């Protein structure tokens, strides 16, 4: 169904067309070209501390990140359960086993306490985890101080899935720069897009050089094609990078707009009982990629699904929160440390339209419909 009001629509009102034309005129549409270099430079400049390798998706960045951290057959990797499947799928690609960890209530991301429980349990079984995948869900930074402290204590590397958190900060540091490696996604409905794309970021130039090499089929620098390792075809192309560079130019504006949209929802829904938000704490500044709310059905008299259907009938797209991976049929039987936190979030939450160019009038309309639903429940 085509919705007049989308969950998270891309906007192209900058230099996208100009740069695409330039890329075509340059003759470089594939994995070489000025826009790939510019794209990487701009991401590095944004973080100030890190460098980037441009890849063709966030999923390939996660996969390469795990390869670089040495994840292989028979290993175990701890992964936040409350996330999109792409955070965990590369663990399976590598013949390793995920161990899922539940969220805490404050940020909805990986619980540091449960992370330590999981590590201690696996060490007791002689299976020290090879890596930890932590996610900044919907743009909200996880409790990175606590998580990094535990990871350092047990000397386990951290891969930061910041696919949804481009532009989010924690203690003034950009998400993706606090772990050993960070991942961004520039897929179609993320805060900015390159059509499809991703990046692996690090302050370790050696690791990034290796990532770039592996992303281009591990081709040796020789006049003929010679390979010492199995590589991947994961490099970003110059055409995507052209779009990505133009989008990076308006990242700050996109972050400001989405934060404003979040503020507006908070104000407009402030007097509604039974509605709660995902909140920043004193250390965190979410990009608010998506504004998400929790609905306490016992108070509101309607469920997240009833609201989804009501808004859908009015041409408004919403989405459930991610279904935790430990509840996914495909991951049945995988070990899980935790209780009902992510399950409850999934069962009561809904993502509201959060496109960068969503207007205040559209937001008012959405909130009116939520009020109608509430009024109906109390008739
Ligand atoms: C989108 C997303 C990814 C994957 O990125 P793609 O570019 O779509 O491959 C990974 N993790 C999370 C949390 C995401 O939201």
């Amino acid at each position: 169904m085509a919705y007049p009001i989308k969950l998270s629509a891309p906007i192209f009102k900058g230099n996208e067309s100009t740069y695409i034309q330039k890329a075509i005129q340059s003759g470089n549409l594939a994995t070489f070209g000025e826009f790939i270099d510019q794209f990487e430079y701009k991401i590095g400049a944004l973080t100030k501390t890190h460098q980037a390798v441009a890849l063709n998706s966030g999923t390939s960045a996660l996969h390469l990140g795990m390869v670089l951290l040495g994840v292989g057959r028979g290993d175990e990797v701890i992964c936040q359960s409350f996330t999109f499947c792409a955070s965990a799928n590369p663990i399976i690609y590598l013949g390793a086993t995920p161990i899922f960890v539940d969220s805490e209530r404050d940020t909805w991301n990986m619980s540091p306490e449960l992370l330590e429980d999981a590590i201690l349990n696996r060490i007791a079984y002689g299976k020290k985890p090879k890596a930890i995948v932590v996610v900044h869900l919907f743009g909200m930074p996880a409790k990175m101080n606590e998580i990094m402290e535990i990871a350092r204590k047990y000397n386990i590397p951290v891969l930061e899935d910041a696919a949804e958190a481009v532009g989010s900060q924690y203690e003034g540091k950009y998400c993706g720069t606090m772990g050993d490696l960070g991942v961004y996604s520039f897929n179609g409905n993320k805060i900015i897009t390159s059509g499809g794309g991703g990046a692996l970021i690090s302050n370790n130039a050696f690791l990034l050089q290796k990532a770039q090499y592996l992303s281009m089929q591990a081709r040796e620098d020789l006049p003929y094609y010679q390979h010492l390792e199995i590589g991947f075809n994961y490099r970003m192309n110059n055409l995507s990078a052209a779009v990505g560079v133009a989008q990076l130019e308006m990242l700050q504006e996109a972050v400001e707009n989405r934060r404003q949209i979040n503020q507006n929802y908070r104000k407009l829904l402030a007097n509604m009982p039974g509605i709660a938000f995902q909140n920043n704490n004193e250390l965190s500044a979410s990009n608010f990629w998506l504004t998400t709310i929790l609905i306490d059905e016992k108070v509101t008299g309607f469920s997240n699904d009833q609201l989804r259907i009501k808004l859908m009938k009015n041409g408004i797209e919403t989405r459930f929160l991610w279904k935790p991976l430990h509840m996914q049929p495909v991951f049945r039987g995988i070990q899980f440390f935790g209780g009902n936190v992510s399950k409850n979030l999934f069962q009561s939450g809904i993502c509201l339209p959060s496109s960068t160019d969503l207007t205040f009038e559209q937001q008012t309309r959405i909130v009116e419909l939520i009020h109608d639903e509430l009024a109906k429940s109390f008739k």
Side-chain angles (χ1 to χ4, degrees), residues 57-59 62 83-84 86-87 135 161 163-164 185 187 190 197:
S57 75
T59 309
L62 283 155
T83 183
F84 178 49
S87 308
V135 188
D161 182 349
E164 302 177 0
S185 166
N187 208 344
K190 297 278 155 66

Side-chain angles (χ1 to χ4, degrees), residues 55-62 82-88 133-138 161-165 183-190 195-199 289 319 322:
L55 300 168
N56 60 10
S57 75
T59 309
S60 37
L62 283 155
F82 195 35
T83 183
F84 178 49
C85 66
S87 308
V133 181
V134 59
V135 188
H136 307 296
L137 216 58
F138 306 115
D161 182 349
E164 302 177 0
V183 167
Y184 291 150
S185 166
F186 304 97
N187 208 344
N189 72 357
K190 297 278 155 66
W289 168 54
R319 192 199 272 166
W322 300 116

